[in-house]
């Protein structure tokens, strides 16, 4: 049967990912509290991106799901990124 | 299973949910662009206004959402392992954490309201355009996010009832998976809202 989803992700995997997410949050809070100038924004966004990748791949099962959904998600993220970059280029270079 | 097999296509069902989540990502993505451009245009005002937000409350809420995301993900494992009781307990913890998040939001907003800082207030207008923009976006984006939390909680309550009634079981749990996906999206949005409003000052 096609619908049979036999892949059971152990509880432990989720707990490890959760621990990782909390550690990343803590690092992000600590690093942004000490002034790093323009680097702060880059670090905060980089950590947020790592965190969202973990959530997408493990909590949202993309790692274990049909590849098709992952490709669609990457497509939407690229679309969003290009819209953001093009809009900002327009604004910053007026 | 009964003699009559109902036709199900879980992959399509999940992909339908993902398509909806994509529209949600684009909705918040648009708001992030608005935020970035106004921040660029009113850098000092945004910097000072962002410092007024409590990093402690923001961090606490982030951790609450992360834990609730993990518990809802684990409830799927529990259902797959035919462990209905654990699944219900994990879902109840998720709902409880969602409520704690909203209570925190209530106190956080209450604090601003007591200082007469809300869209359209005279106090805010006196502070200038940058502050009006910052708090306008702050209330709108965290408000829209809180609205998603409320919708997610309603979904989770329906799911929990369905699990207890065994409408969601180890054979058919795609509704739980889709509800979980929605809850994770709410978490995903907060992962970006939190540094943008609370951390980058």
């Amino acid at each position: 049967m096609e619908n049979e989803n036999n892949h059971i992700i152990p509880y432990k995997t989720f707990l490890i990912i959760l621990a990782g997410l909390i550690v990343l949050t803590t690092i992000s809070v600590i690093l942004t509290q000490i002034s790093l100038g323009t680097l702060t924004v880059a670090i905060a966004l980089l950590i947020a991106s790592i965190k969202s990748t973990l959530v997408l791949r493990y909590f949202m099962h993309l790692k274990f799901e049909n590849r098709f959904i992952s490709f669609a998600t990457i497509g939407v993220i690229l679309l969003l990124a290009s819209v953001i970059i093009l809009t900002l280029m327009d604004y910053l270079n007026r | 299973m009964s003699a009559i097999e109902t036709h199900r296509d879980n992959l399509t069902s999940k992909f339908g949910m993902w398509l909806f989540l994509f529209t949600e990502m684009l909705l918040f993505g648009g708001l992030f662009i608005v935020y970035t451009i106004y921040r660029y245009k009113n850098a000092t005002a945004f910097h000072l206004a962002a410092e007024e937000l409590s990093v402690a409350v923001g961090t606490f809420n982030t951790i609450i959402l992360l834990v609730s995301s993990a518990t809802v993900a684990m409830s799927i494992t529990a259902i797959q392992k035919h462990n209905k009781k654990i699944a219900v307990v994990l879902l109840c913890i998720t709902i409880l954490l969602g409520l704690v998040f909203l209570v925190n939001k209530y106190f956080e907003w209450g604090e601003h309201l007591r200082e007469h800082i809300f869209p359209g207030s005279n106090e805010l207008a006196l502070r200038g355009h940058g502050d009006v923009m910052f708090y306008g976006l702050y209330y709108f984006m965290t408000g829209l996010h809180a609205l998603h939390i409320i919708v997610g909680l309603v979904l989770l309550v329906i799911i929990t009832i369905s699990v207890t009634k065994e409408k969601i079981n180890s054979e058919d749990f795609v509704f739980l998976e889709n509800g979980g996906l929605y809850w994770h999206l709410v978490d995903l949005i907060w992962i970006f809202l939190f540094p943008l409003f609370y951390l980058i000052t």
Side-chain angles (χ1 to χ4, degrees):
Chain A
M1 208 170 110
E2 263 183 77
N3 285 328
E4 207 103 36
N5 190 354
N6 284 325
H7 195 100
I8 301 179
I9 306 159
Y11 296 118
K12 216 176 129 192
T13 313
F14 291 125
L15 290 175
I16 292 167
I17 296 296
L18 174 64
L21 286 168
I22 291 174
V23 169
L24 282 170
T25 308
T26 320
I27 293 173
S28 163
V29 170
I30 293 168
L31 282 181
T32 46
Q33 292 310 297
I34 44 173
S35 229
L36 293 166
T38 43
L39 259 179
T40 318
V41 183
I43 290 170
L45 287 180
L46 179 74
I47 292 177
S49 306
I50 299 170
K51 279 165 72 181
S52 48
T53 311
L54 286 176
V55 170
L56 281 165
R57 276 178 73 75
Y58 290 92
F59 285 177
M60 296 173 97
H61 291 206
L62 278 188
K63 195 182 173 202
F64 317 99
E65 206 70 72
N66 189 311
R67 281 258 183 86
F68 177 57
I69 300 181
S70 294
F71 285 133
T73 310
I74 292 167
V76 169
I77 291 169
L78 288 178
L79 173 71
L80 193 56
S82 47
V83 169
I84 291 175
I85 290 167
L86 287 174
T87 315
L88 289 183
M89 288 220 292
D90 179 33
Y91 250 92
L92 303 180
N93 299 310
R94 271 192 189 183
Chain B
M1 243 197 199
S2 61
I4 310 154
E5 283 237 1
T6 41
H7 177 73
R8 269 193 298 126
D9 187 345
N10 287 348
L11 179 64
T12 315
S13 171
K14 274 185 259 182
F15 190 64
M17 189 65 196
W18 274 99
L19 283 179
F20 169 63
L21 298 188
F22 292 158
T23 68
E24 294 273 35
M25 289 179 193
L26 295 176
L27 165 69
F28 277 92
L31 289 168
F32 284 127
I33 297 179
V34 176
Y35 175 86
T36 313
I37 286 168
Y38 277 103
R39 178 163 203 135
Y40 169 70
K41 290 185 136 185
N42 309 282
T44 356
F46 269 55
H47 168 82
L48 292 173
E51 284 200 327
E52 286 174 36
L53 300 184
S54 164
V55 177
V57 177
T59 312
F60 186 56
N61 267 349
T62 307
I63 290 171
I64 284 175
L65 275 195
L66 290 175
V67 175
S68 74
S69 247
T71 50
V72 84
M74 286 194 286
S75 76
I76 295 172
T77 306
I79 278 284
Q80 284 173 313
K81 287 184 172 174
H82 306 269
N83 221 329
K84 181 180 150 189
K85 213 181 243 170
I86 292 181
V88 170
V89 169
L90 285 167
L91 283 167
C92 286
I93 294 173
T94 313
I95 294 167
L96 205 70
L97 289 170
L99 289 172
V100 172
F101 180 93
L102 286 178
V103 169
N104 272 337
K105 199 97 270 174
Y106 168 79
F107 284 114
E108 213 183 0
W109 278 25
E111 192 72 31
H112 296 305
L113 293 176
R114 220 171 299 121
E115 291 167 9
H116 298 283
I117 294 189
F118 51 87
S121 79
N122 292 327
E123 182 83 22
L124 196 58
L126 287 173
R127 290 211 197 170
H129 182 65
D131 281 61
V132 173
M133 284 316 300
F134 179 84
Y135 279 102
L137 284 167
Y138 166 76
Y139 277 107
F140 186 70
M141 288 172 82
T142 57
L144 191 63
H145 179 262
L147 199 66
H148 279 78
I149 296 261
I150 294 169
V151 173
L153 284 175
V154 172
L155 259 175
L156 284 171
V157 169
I158 297 171
I159 286 170
T160 313
I161 294 169
S162 304
V163 172
T164 51
K165 285 184 175 170
E166 284 179 24
K167 275 184 187 164
I168 294 176
N169 48 55
S170 57
E171 296 283 327
D172 180 7
F173 52 87
V174 72
F175 183 33
L176 170 62
E177 285 187 291
N178 283 345
L181 282 177
Y182 187 79
W183 192 255
H184 296 309
L185 178 93
V186 172
D187 185 26
L188 211 58
I189 292 163
W190 186 258
I191 286 176
F192 284 97
L193 278 183
F194 170 61
L196 283 181
F197 278 102
Y198 294 81
L199 292 183
I200 305 169
T201 56

